[in-house]
Each structure stands twice: as structure tokens, then as C-alpha cells.
């Protein structure tokens, strides 16, 4: 298929590796003779028609940087029909023949609607620390966020052990527990709380008391944001166990920093594959990785189907936390 002009944008919460994905997509497009315009601040930039021409040089020196040089926003307007129509008009005004959207769940949902309204081929690149998109084994930034979480957890473990305290550590994941699960398993957390699996706080307190009787004098509880109110969990454990308890929220620290090797490689492969999928005539897809291979996944499927959490990992963490 011959294409002349592509648009590209990074949208929603930033994720380490977005820059590497931009670089790969822009350079693959340029190598194939395409012109690329980059929209500033994600969908907000599309809605405001704010873009600039990107060439191979404009993406130099960014492969190792966190964040996104095109900037990003959460554009609530894209949830409305009015927003979709406005964005459609801008894409048409620019005579775009394809658009690449780099972002998370909400961004993919909006991309789907935008394709349906405009008919313009759109390929999504899954970039979110939450790893909550179906049809892909991993998303860009997830591995970096897990490693950032692990580094913090190792430090917290030092002070938890020294003071014989329980730490509740809240990690990101408003709706899903992928980050909490991998950080929890990797850090050897005694308890992992995720939105997908019900828990009983009294049972957890009994377990902590019991393990204290067996000589365990500190513990780490890794909790996803979406698994409940971390202040309430902290208070309940303090009241019911007699342990000294502290709460740490890792927050946006997990969204920043240099992308890990895994996040960069994924970004390079996905950026390049997305342009190839467009050239191949794909129209409404997200680039996924499945068993090490780049695959086009239906955008609707990717953004609406709930990706299952690895309960096997959860059970492993429990089994090892004796
Ligand atoms: O981008 C995903 C995410 O980091 C979630 O894990 C978190 O709940 C949310 O974004 C925070 O969003 P914001 O930066 O808009 O506060």
C-alpha cells in the first residue's frame, strides 16, 4: 500500500519507552518514504491541531529517555462524540492517511472510535505501566515500572527488617494489579493485594500474628491502588496485630526514569512493526507481542477484553512467603 503522510501521538499516562517507540516509528516511516507529523500533548494536540513535522533527526538522542518528548495529556473530550468528530475533522484537514497512537487502555478505546468515525487507518502501540491491554504479553513501560518498584521495595525491606515493622507499600494500578503482582513476587512480599482477587483483612492480620510467633518480625504488603484504601488497610493492621506499621505510596516515581532494556527493545520492535502494519493495509489494530512475535491485534478486542492476571504467580508468592 502507498502512504504519504502519517500522524503520530503519545497519549494518556506516560510510560518509559514512549520515546524509543516514537523514534522507531518515525525512522521506519521515513525509511519507507513517508512524511510524519507529530501531534503535541496527545489527543489534546489532535483536537487543537497542534503538530510539527518529524524527520529522522528530530528523534535523535531520545531512545534512553523516560517520558515523551511530544508530551501527553488525558483528554476527556475524546470520550464524547463531539470530541471524536472534532478530532476526525483535524485528521482530514491534515490529509492524514494513517495515525499511530502510543498509549494505554483509554487511548486505544478512543483510537477505535476515531477510526470508526474517520475511516483513517489507525495502529495503536500499547504503552502503559499498567500492562492492562489484551492481546499483548507486555506493554511498553511495564517492565521499567516493575524494576523501579523492586528497587524501592528492596530499600523498604532494609528499614522494615531493622525496625521490625510491617510496611504497606502502595504501587500504581488504578484498576489492575499487574504491577503489584510482579513487584510483590520479585520483592518477596508477604502479602500482595490486587483488585482482581478478594482478600480478608482479618485473615491477613491473623497470618501476620502467626508468622510473628514463628519468628518473622517484619513484613511487606504490596498493594495496588485499586485494591482498596491503603490508609484503612494500614490502620486495620496496626490495630489488630500490634505491629508498628508504616505506609509508603510509590506514586508517580514508577512512571519515570530511563526505560529498561526490555522496555526499549519492545518499543523499538513495536514502533517499527506498527508502520509496517499500516503499510500492509491494517486499519484498526494494536501492535501486540505474543510469544516473542509482533502481531496485529484488533483494537476493539485489545481495549475491551479484560486481560487475566497470572493467578499462578499470586499463589507462588503466597507459597514462598512462609
Ligand atoms: O498510566 C497508568 C497510571 O499510572 C495508573 O497506574 C494510575 O492509577 C494512573 O495512571 C494515575 O494517573 P494520573 O497520572 O493521571 O494521576
Amino acid at each position: 500500500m502507498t502512504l504519504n503522510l502519517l500522524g503520530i501521538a503519545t497519549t494518556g499516562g506516560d510510560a518509559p519507552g514512549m520515546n524509543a517507540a516514537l523514534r522507531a516509528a518515525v525512522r521506519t516511516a521515513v525509511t519507507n518514504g513517508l512524511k510524519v507529523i507529530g501531534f503535541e500533548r496527545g489527543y489534546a494536540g489532535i483536537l487543537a491541531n497542534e503538530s510539527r513535522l518529524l524527520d529522522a533527526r528530530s528523534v535523535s538522542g531520545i531512545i534512553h529517555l523516560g517520558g515523551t518528548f511530544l508530551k501527553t495529556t488525558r483528554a476527556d473530550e475524546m470520550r464524547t462524540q463531539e470530541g471524536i468528530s472534532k478530532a476526525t475533522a483535524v485528521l482530514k484537514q491534515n490529509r492524514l492517511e494513517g495515525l499511530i497512537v502510543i498509549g494505554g487502555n483509554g487511548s486505544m478505546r478512543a483510537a477505535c472510535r476515531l477510526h470508526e468515525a474517520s475511516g483513517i487507518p489507525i495502529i495503536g502501540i500499547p504503552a502503559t505501566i499498567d500492562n492492562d491491554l489484551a492481546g499483548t504479553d507486555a506493554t511498553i513501560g511495564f517492565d521499567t515500572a516493575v524494576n523501579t518498584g523492586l528497587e524501592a521495595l528492596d530499600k523498604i525491606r532494609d528499614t522494615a527488617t531493622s525496625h521490625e515493622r510491617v510496611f504497606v507499600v502502595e504501587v500504581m494500578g488504578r484498576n489492575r494489579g499487574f504491577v503489584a503482582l510482579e513487584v510483590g513476587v520479585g520483592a518477596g512480599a508477604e502479602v500482595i493485594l490486587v483488585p482482581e482477587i478478594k482478600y480478608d483483612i482479618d485473615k491477613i492480620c491473623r497470618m501476620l500474628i502467626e508468622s510473628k510467633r514463628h519468628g518473622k518480625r517484619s513484613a511487606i504488603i504490596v498493594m495496588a491502588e485499586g485494591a482498596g484504601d491503603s490508609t484503612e488497610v494500614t490502620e486495620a493492621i496496626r490495630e489488630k496485630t500490634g505491629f508498628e506499621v508504616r505506609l509508603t505510596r510509590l506514586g508517580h516515581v514508577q512512571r519515570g526514569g530511563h526505560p529498561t532494556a526490555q522496555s526499549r527493545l519492545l518499543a523499538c520492535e513495536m514502533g517499527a512493526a506498527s508502520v509496517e502494519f499500516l503499510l500492509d493495509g491494517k486499519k484498526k489494530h494494536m501492535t501486540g507481542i505474543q510469544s516473542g512475535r509482533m502481531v496485529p491485534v484488533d483494537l476493539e478486542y485489545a481495549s475491551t477484553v479484560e486481560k487475566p492476571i497470572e493467578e499462578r504467580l499470586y499463589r507462588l508468592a503466597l507459597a514462598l512467603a512462609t
Side-chain angles (χ1 to χ4, degrees):
M1 191 172 173
T2 327
L3 296 175
N4 295 307
L5 183 62
L6 289 189
I8 193 161
T10 48
T11 70
D14 61 351
M18 277 183 161
N19 278 322
L22 282 169
R23 170 182 174 271
V26 170
R27 290 196 172 166
T28 307
V30 170
T31 304
N32 281 281
L34 306 178
K35 282 213 162 93
V36 185
I37 58 170
F39 288 97
E40 315 271 346
R41 300 180 294 110
Y43 286 120
I46 295 181
L47 290 163
N49 197 9
E50 284 171 13
S51 68
R52 59 177 137 148
L53 197 64
L54 298 177
D55 60 14
R57 291 284 67 74
S58 61
V59 288
S60 291
I62 60 169
I63 192 169
H64 61 299
L65 299 176
T68 157
F69 87 100
L70 275 183
K71 312 270 170 65
T72 185
T73 45
R74 296 199 187 276
D76 288 341
E77 214 178 327
M78 289 300 284
R79 292 175 200 267
T80 67
Q81 199 43 51
E82 211 188 339
I84 296 288
S85 306
K86 205 161 142 191
T88 296
V90 173
L91 299 188
K92 293 206 162 152
Q93 191 184 330
N94 282 286
R95 298 181 190 285
L96 285 189
E97 291 159 303
L99 178 70
I100 292 182
V101 174
I102 306 175
N105 206 305
S107 308
M108 296 304 136
R109 267 198 298 274
C112 214
R113 300 287 88 80
L114 193 52
H115 166 74
E116 281 157 7
S118 67
I120 293 171
I122 302 186
I123 300 289
I125 299 184
T128 162
I129 66 159
D130 288 349
N131 195 26
D132 58 348
L133 282 154
T136 187
D137 297 342
T139 58
I140 296 168
F142 173 64
D143 182 69
T144 309
V146 169
N147 277 291
T148 301
L150 278 181
E151 203 185 321
L153 260 292
D154 289 348
K155 288 175 178 158
I156 287 171
R157 175 74 74 185
D158 291 343
T159 178
T161 311
S162 305
H163 283 265
E164 301 190 328
R165 284 172 172 164
V166 169
F167 269 79
V168 176
V169 184
E170 185 190 281
V171 301
M172 275 196 160
R174 195 167 27 201
N175 303 311
R176 304 303 309 272
F178 292 100
V179 173
L181 183 59
E182 294 212 1
V183 168
V185 175
E190 278 68 21
V191 179
I192 302 173
L193 304 180
V194 291
E196 294 86 350
I197 300 174
K198 277 209 171 76
Y199 59 87
D200 175 347
I201 195 70
D202 291 328
K203 208 167 146 194
I204 290 167
C205 290
R206 283 198 298 277
M207 187 276 279
L208 290 171
I209 293 167
E210 187 60 18
S211 60
K212 193 177 189 180
R213 281 204 314 114
H214 289 102
K216 207 168 203 183
R217 310 200 64 84
S218 66
I220 291 188
I221 298 171
V222 174
M223 177 171 185
E225 280 172 306
D229 184 327
S230 52
T231 307
E232 279 174 17
V233 168
T234 305
E235 282 312 316
I237 295 172
R238 184 175 290 133
E239 251 176 49
K240 293 177 186 185
T241 65
F243 265 113
E244 250 194 282
V245 195
R246 294 288 185 271
L247 168 64
T248 302
R249 290 194 179 93
L250 296 190
H252 289 78
V253 167
Q254 295 155 102
R255 283 239 300 262
H258 297 298
T260 56
Q262 202 264 11
S263 291
R264 291 184 205 194
L265 294 180
L266 193 59
C268 291
E269 284 210 80
M270 284 182 163
S274 300
V275 174
E276 279 153 18
F277 289 150
L278 274 176
L279 289 168
D280 220 37
K282 299 281 181 290
K283 291 190 162 40
K284 193 183 117 191
H285 288 86
M286 182 191 83
T287 301
I289 183 165
Q290 292 177 9
S291 306
R293 286 186 52 242
M294 292 291 121
V295 291
V297 179
D298 179 67
L299 251 187
E300 184 89 44
Y301 173 87
S303 58
T304 54
V305 168
E306 190 168 296
K307 174 153 123 184
I309 199 146
E310 282 271 8
E311 293 211 17
R312 180 188 55 83
L313 263 189
Y314 183 80
R315 286 194 300 275
L316 177 67
L318 287 187
L320 298 180
T322 54

